[in-house]
Amino acid sequence: MSPVLLSSSTSLVESVRGVLGLVRCAATLGQLACGDEPVVLVDLSLRPGEGAELVREVRRARPGASLVALLGEASNSTPAALREAGADRVLGLPLHPALLEDTVTEALERQPFDGDPRILRDLAGVAERGELRLHYQPRVEAETGAVRGFEALMRWEHPELGLVHPGLFIPLAEATGEVVAMGAWALREACRQARAWDALGLPSVHVAVNLSPLQFRGEGPVPAVEAALAESGLPADRLELEFTESLMAHDTTEVIAHLQSLKRLGTRLSIDDFGTGYSSLSYLRHFPVDALKIDKAFVDDLTRDTHASAIVTAIVVLGQSLGLGVVAEGVETERQAAFLRVLGVDEIQGYLYSRPLPADEAAAFLAAAGVSAPAS
Ligand code: C2E
Ligand code: CA
Ligand code: CA
């Protein structure tokens, strides 16, 4: 199934069709017959009342379709009017065409609704409904194998679909903005869990939480991080925050200010999927980061591709000369681990040691691993 994008304006439909080449059908109000469900309504520049009218038209023509209204900055329709008119979900993203391309295209491409439409339908309020879980994947010291920490990875326990993996819902949550509330929940839960392990007398480890670029908009991530630390009592230096280079595609000055505030709180910061995104290294000088995480793609090819090993070597040297820790992820074989150890990688994460585990199994893993090196 591909999404249907609708607008009252033919020129807008044409531009959306141009931007989102993957969309099979973009329709104006007059052509509602086209396309499959679900329907995504694009409302970038509607005049007052037009958005609600569009929603009512869609509802009449396609009563069973799930209908998502994407509200643009230029829109004069209000979310309340669209909701009253019957939209299942109104997304208040500041959508201008460039951002539309960034967020919606990517989301639809990765999860073009041929997954289960219930994922998009039920995403709103998922954190408040208590359906999110965190699984924890150990990060071990390369030299000794001691557990240094865990990366918290989100899962959604959907009441009908069972455990849904983040590859299916995070891109959609980013397109809808829901990821901000979900991310705040993950911060609270990961910090709470780390303290619960402390209370069991387990070695104190650090816990890493992923931050979406969307969490850096508006007030930024600091209030959510502060709340999570205050509620749990977790020392800030045991919380690591992972963000990707794509953050740099947005307003750098503001992002750097947020990162500096996080640093002042005392949290550790690491760049996830390093080497796959933004190609300029100059931003590293302005970033108060502690560690680089080498993307799995390079680790995969490490032992069979000289280019991959050259890139990994370069990242390790870069990290070391900047005084940063280097973590390799997606490590599946002992050969890869041995290679990474020789290259001087500090920490290793991957199926070789463990898959991401539910909290109780992660605790057992930590207990069985014995005394770990102190968290840094
Ligand atoms: P990521 O941050 O790069 O996380 C690493 C992913 O690689 C995880 O997938 C992990 O299960 C997987 N992985 C780790 N070791 C191995 C290995 O040895 N082999 C293979 N094949 N895979 C390995 P997962 O849990 O499905 O998460 C996927 C992505 O979803 C994450 O990629 C991250 O970008 C995002 N994500 C997960 N939790 C959150 C969250 O709480 N907030 C945000 N914003 N994004 C999240
Ligand atoms: Ca990560
Ligand atoms: Ca990663």
Side-chain angles (χ1 to χ4, degrees):
M1 272 191 294
S2 70
V4 184
L5 295 155
L6 284 171
S7 166
S8 59
S9 133
T10 312
S11 61
L12 179 61
V13 160
E14 284 315 311
S15 74
V16 165
R17 205 202 299 270
V19 172
L20 304 178
L22 68 142
V23 175
R24 185 141 44 95
C25 173
T28 62
L29 263 181
Q31 313 167 329
L32 272 181
C34 112
D36 302 322
E37 298 170 10
V39 170
V40 177
L41 166 70
V42 174
D43 172 13
L44 287 172
S45 54
L46 298 176
R47 285 188 291 277
E50 254 187 352
E53 176 59 23
L54 188 53
V55 170
R56 274 192 293 274
E57 281 293 322
V58 177
R59 274 278 165 260
R60 265 198 293 277
R62 310 179 63 79
S66 49
L67 201 158
V68 183
L70 302 175
L71 263 185
E73 256 165 346
S75 172
N76 286 310
S77 299
T78 66
L82 294 174
R83 229 176 257 122
E84 262 165 40
D88 300 306
R89 183 101 177 80
V90 181
L91 314 176
L93 280 181
L95 282 177
H96 45 79
L99 204 63
L100 187 74
E101 188 173 5
D102 270 10
T103 54
V104 181
T105 314
E106 207 180 312
L108 299 183
E109 230 162 24
R110 277 195 257 169
Q111 175 58 17
F113 293 114
D114 39 347
D116 198 295
R118 284 174 286 188
I119 293 177
L120 180 61
R121 189 196 67 191
D122 299 339
L123 201 54
V126 64
E128 293 82 352
R129 287 199 305 277
E131 290 170 8
L132 292 177
R133 310 280 175 264
L134 289 178
H135 282 188
Y136 298 87
Q137 186 174 37
R139 256 165 68 169
V140 308
E141 196 171 82
E143 278 300 312
T144 62
V147 183
R148 299 289 296 272
F150 291 95
E151 177 175 4
L153 294 156
M154 202 182 273
R155 307 288 181 252
W156 176 7
E157 204 165 303
H158 189 284
E160 292 157 19
L161 300 169
L163 212 59
V164 185
H165 279 254
L168 292 180
F169 65 83
I170 292 282
L172 286 176
E174 288 189 321
T176 66
E178 196 67 32
V179 78
V180 175
M182 295 161 75
W185 173 85
L187 283 164
R188 280 201 312 276
E189 176 59 16
C191 293
R192 186 202 63 75
Q193 186 60 65
R195 292 298 285 160
W197 287 330
D198 290 351
L200 292 174
L202 292 165
S204 57
V205 287
H206 59 240
V207 62
V209 177
N210 292 282
L211 291 183
S212 157
L214 275 195
Q215 291 173 270
F216 284 82
R217 301 240 182 101
E219 64 177 6
V222 173
V225 170
E226 271 178 326
L229 292 171
E231 264 174 44
S232 62
L234 186 73
D237 62 356
R238 288 177 53 200
L239 176 63
E240 180 161 326
L241 301 165
E242 299 190 2
F243 56 91
T244 60
E245 294 163 290
S246 66
L247 204 53
M248 287 304 95
H250 303 277
D251 180 1
T252 329
T253 329
E254 208 169 301
V255 165
I256 290 177
H258 288 316
L259 292 174
Q260 281 164 342
S261 304
L262 291 173
K263 205 63 226 153
R264 274 195 297 274
L265 284 182
T267 60
R268 290 162 48 97
L269 302 175
S270 59
I271 305 183
D272 207 356
D273 306 339
F274 188 78
T276 62
Y278 197 71
S279 52
S280 163
L281 293 177
S282 65
Y283 71 88
L284 270 181
R285 289 185 297 146
H286 309 293
F287 263 34
V289 290
D290 301 284
L292 307 176
K293 290 191 81 175
I294 303 174
D295 192 64
K296 178 179 187 312
F298 301 124
V299 173
D300 279 345
D301 295 337
L302 192 59
T303 52
R304 45 174 193 265
D305 173 349
T306 50
H307 287 113
S309 58
I311 290 171
V312 172
T313 307
I315 296 176
V316 174
V317 171
L318 177 72
Q320 285 172 344
S321 46
L322 291 171
L324 309 176
V326 180
V327 183
E329 69 180 356
V331 180
E332 293 182 345
T333 68
E334 188 46 61
R335 252 189 104 201
Q336 290 167 341
F339 214 102
L340 291 161
R341 252 176 247 126
V342 169
L343 291 181
V345 161
D346 300 299
E347 289 182 37
I348 290 179
Q349 174 182 344
Y351 292 175
L352 174 64
Y353 290 96
S354 170
R355 289 180 176 258
L357 303 167
D360 54 342
E361 289 175 38
F365 187 93
L366 188 53
V371 179
S372 77
S376 59

